Amino acid sequence: MSTDKNNNSDLHECKVKNKISKLRQAIPQFCAVGAENLLLVTLGSTIGFSSILIPELTKDKTDIFLDRDDESWISSMNLFTAPFGCLLSGLASTYFGRKTTMQLAMFPYILSWLIFYLSTTKQMLFIALVLAGLNNGIVEASVLTYVAEVSQPHLRGILSSTLSVAVILGFLTQSLTTTLTNWRTTCLVNITYPVIGFIAFCLVPESPYWLAEKQQIVNAEKALCWLRGWVSSCQIKNELEIICISVKPKDNKHKNKKHWKEFTKQTFISPFILVIVCFVIVNFAGSVCIQTYSVEIFKELNTPIGIKIAPVYLILAQLIGTIICVVSIFFTGKRTINFISIAGGGLCSLGISIYIYLVEFNFIHENKYTWLPSLLLIGTAFISHIGIRLLVWIIVGEVFPSKVKSIATSVSVAINYAFSGIANKTYLGLKDIIGLSGTFMLYAIIYFIGLVALYFMLPETEGKTLQEIQQHYSGIHKLNKNQQKEQKILI
């Protein structure tokens, strides 16, 4: 007993003596996630590349001809192949580590851009899309897990939100670069992003959770000291103990036999259903298709904005919305901003649908109000990115228990990519059947149904430790839906 008291006294004395500022604690966490964000700029550029490649290759004069079916495959092939990469994602993240998996992923990205650049047939384009899609899937588990495991509870929401900022910057680089040069030169420019990302990963540590799980306690301690502001070991002792307990298997003898049972528990099932509902809203309420087919949609809406510059405004709206989310999530929490986002997206989609209907039946003159649907379309992109488009990825990184996190995250992301591929592949056919007005009406309905569902399903996790979130889903301690944020570590 006296030994414990002495240890606690020494620990308290160490913390008081070596007290550091919150800024110093935050800087290394932003650096670690910043390296990860360079990977996500690359990931975003591979997804956004389709939206600029399709209009370039459907012009009258082009060296690679695409028909309407090829166009739908270009928009969705990398999304359909990503789930197969996700099947390997959890294994790669668990075996190689979060950081190493992301670092090695830079090489396939470089190869895919070289294939794009050298393409002379549509088959070569498909090969590059397949390679990029597989690689996108492989890194997803590491991306989402790493940010959750290196950040403190009060910074996790902000840091996780920056992941979406990076992806959108990847989209933006494609639109901006293409306005200055051709699509092949854009491929060469895109090679620089994974090269810089590889170098950046050399400067940051591996996840302390993964290191502790692999019984590399000394390395886990060093990583945690680095991530908490380059502090001494006594200052992170309590947090390291919590991490070691959370990753320690309860029964090593029967670990492999009982591991599958974790997927039958409420701690997995409830978060999994929540994540799937979020992904349904994100993919089937139009935000994915609006991004991919932005040029075609702006043309159909007879936008007064230049066709080449209109997608840039769309992406800038997404970026501004994302930045607002990053800044405001700390104050509003996830629930409030999510509901504002979903309701706003539904209203904008409904407005576009009504406008198209009124024009088709000659209730209003099209040329008089061409600015309105363009504004609503850009508004849809903006409002979706202040909430649901970003927050779903934060939720994925938070809600699953550590024992199944890598696999659960991989499966969730695989389903998201499959949903995105289905949404993009079926968009043209859906529009041919029910028209653009009916398509946006369907998007509005999905938004409003999703709003009701998430009102009852989504807890407030902002400022909560990963342990507190797991206690919520295991029924030990329920998170109040409007609970005030706490900026402390559960001990």
Side-chain angles (χ1 to χ4, degrees), residues 110-397:
I110 293 172
L111 180 59
S112 67
W113 286 124
L114 287 174
I115 296 173
F116 271 125
Y117 175 75
L118 298 171
S119 293
T120 55
T121 64
K122 62 185 178 183
Q123 286 76 17
M124 290 184 71
L125 293 175
F126 292 154
I127 291 171
L129 285 166
V130 168
L131 179 59
L134 286 170
N135 207 45
N136 288 346
I138 288 172
V139 302
E140 284 286 6
S142 296
V143 165
L144 298 172
T145 305
Y146 185 77
V147 66
E149 292 181 345
V150 302
S151 56
Q152 292 173 296
H154 66 283
L155 292 175
R156 192 188 311 120
I158 295 174
L159 290 171
S160 297
S161 298
T162 65
L163 304 185
S164 292
V165 175
V167 174
I168 294 169
L169 284 174
F171 294 160
L172 185 60
T173 59
Q174 303 312 288
S175 293
L176 288 177
T177 308
T178 308
T179 59
L180 301 174
T181 184
N182 59 61
W183 68 270
R184 291 189 188 274
T185 305
T186 300
C187 295
L188 295 180
V189 173
N190 289 340
I191 292 175
T192 61
Y193 308 136
V195 171
I196 297 171
F198 181 88
I199 296 170
F201 271 120
C202 294
L203 306 176
V204 299
E206 179 57 85
S207 162
Y209 278 81
W210 182 83
L211 292 168
E213 187 178 358
K214 298 300 179 183
Q215 301 301 310
Q216 299 181 35
I217 307 302
V218 174
N219 289 333
E221 182 180 79
K222 290 179 180 178
L224 201 57
C225 286
W226 193 97
L227 290 164
R228 296 301 177 257
W230 306 285
V231 298
S232 60
S233 58
C234 65
Q235 292 175 277
I236 52 88
K237 185 178 179 181
N238 284 348
E239 187 176 359
L240 181 61
E241 288 177 355
I242 293 170
I243 291 173
C244 291
I245 292 171
S246 68
V247 300
K248 184 179 179 181
K250 293 182 179 179
D251 188 354
N252 288 324
K253 186 177 180 180
H254 302 289
K255 179 182 176 182
N256 293 329
K257 293 181 179 179
K258 293 186 177 181
H259 183 70
W260 65 270
K261 291 185 178 179
E262 296 293 331
F263 294 95
T264 64
K265 294 181 179 178
Q266 197 67 24
T267 51
F268 166 76
I269 294 173
S270 292
F272 185 70
I273 293 173
L274 170 64
V275 167
I276 296 304
V277 170
C278 290
F279 281 143
V280 167
I281 300 170
V282 166
N283 291 290
F284 295 113
S287 58
V288 171
C289 294
I290 289 171
Q291 173 69 51
T292 305
Y293 293 99
S294 58
V295 173
E296 183 173 324
I297 295 173
F298 275 116
K299 278 183 180 179
E300 289 196 51
L301 294 176
N302 195 23
T303 179
I305 311 170
I307 287 300
K308 267 205 166 185
I309 201 67
V312 175
Y313 286 133
L314 190 78
I315 297 171
L316 285 174
Q318 294 173 347
L319 183 61
I320 293 169
T322 302
I323 293 170
I324 290 174
C325 179
V326 171
V327 173
S328 62
I329 190 175
F330 182 77
F331 304 100
T332 65
K334 297 185 182 70
R335 275 177 60 85
T336 301
I337 201 167
N338 234 330
F339 297 154
I340 292 172
S341 172
I342 296 171
L347 291 173
C348 287
S349 297
L350 182 63
I352 294 171
S353 176
I354 293 173
Y355 171 85
I356 298 170
Y357 173 83
L358 293 175
V359 169
E360 287 176 348
F361 288 89
N362 298 316
F363 287 106
I364 60 174
H365 195 278
E366 181 180 11
N367 294 329
K368 192 174 182 181
Y369 300 101
T370 52
W371 58 269
L372 180 59
S374 298
L375 181 63
L376 288 173
L377 189 65
I378 293 172
T380 302
F382 167 76
I383 201 74
S384 66
H385 279 77
I386 68 168
I388 185 66
R389 279 296 297 269
L390 278 73
L391 297 179
V392 62
W393 297 109
I394 303 175
I395 292 167
V396 170

Side-chain angles (χ1 to χ4, degrees), residues 75-115:
S75 72
S76 58
M77 184 166 286
N78 61 338
L79 300 172
F80 277 131
T81 54
F84 296 100
C86 290
L87 296 177
L88 301 173
S89 182
L91 297 175
S93 177
T94 301
Y95 184 79
F96 294 109
R98 321 321 187 193
K99 176 189 128 175
T100 305
T101 299
M102 292 187 286
Q103 194 169 24
L104 292 175
M106 300 299 184
F107 295 104
Y109 280 131
I110 293 172
L111 180 59
S112 67
W113 286 124
L114 287 174
I115 296 173

